[in-house]
Amino acid sequence: KAGVTQTPRYLIKTRGQQVTLSCSPISGHRSVSWYQQTPGQGLQFLFEYFSETQRNKGNFPGRFSGRQFSNSRSEMNVSTLELGDSALYLCASRNTGRGANVLTFGAGSRLTVL
Amino acid sequence: SQQGEEDPQALSIQEGENATMNCSYKTSINNLQWYRQNSGRGLVHLILIRSNEREKHSGRLRVTLDTSKKSSSLLITASRAADTASYFCATPVWRDSSYKLIFGSGTRLLVRP
């Protein structure tokens, strides 16, 4: 069973640009969530998607957005990048049936904003 | 915001020794989970302990939970160099039909060969 796949793994952007990150969940997992990890703030919840609907969003500005497609793949977008957006962005998928509490994470997308 | 704190923030031990890390959380929980993160990569789920359990084992891992003190501990016995990683506790939050994990600040474990 393939794991959670995130692309790209690394990217460098400059302030003001926008970025799109992609996540393919484990087959059959319909819930996809995103987390931001920084040295200062640690791991913070960004949003959760289920059946193409955003169920919840963390305390992040509107520059952070996302979506989920009918095949459960998800993308997140950050517009007007700021230096503080430099982080490891982690995607996780969840089986909403048995074992619904456990998240399976991808390897992450490391974003550097210059 | 993070649910709680973990201590120590960093731990350095010799291979073969035991490693203990502690986690405190703030709100009532249904379960508590531990995850491992190798340097700069994704998190891997290690073990889940439910609120009605006091102790749980999985291989060389032993987790305890004290809901009266809102604390948990993770013990790794007979540590190996490959155990070098960061360890995070996490508590789930359900709101309506949404689900998220609140992570602790993590413990960086270094196992010296």
Side-chain angles (χ1 to χ4, degrees), chain A residues 8-21:
Chain A
R9 289 292 318 283
Y10 303 92
L11 66 168
I12 300 173
K13 294 285 187 179
T14 55
R15 279 180 298 174
Q17 287 187 310
Q18 66 94 26
V19 66
T20 299
L21 309 177

Side-chain angles (χ1 to χ4, degrees), chain B residues 12 18 44 61 63 75 81 85 90-91 93:
Chain B
S12 179
N18 295 341
V44 174
L61 305 180
V63 170
L75 168 68
T91 52
V93 176

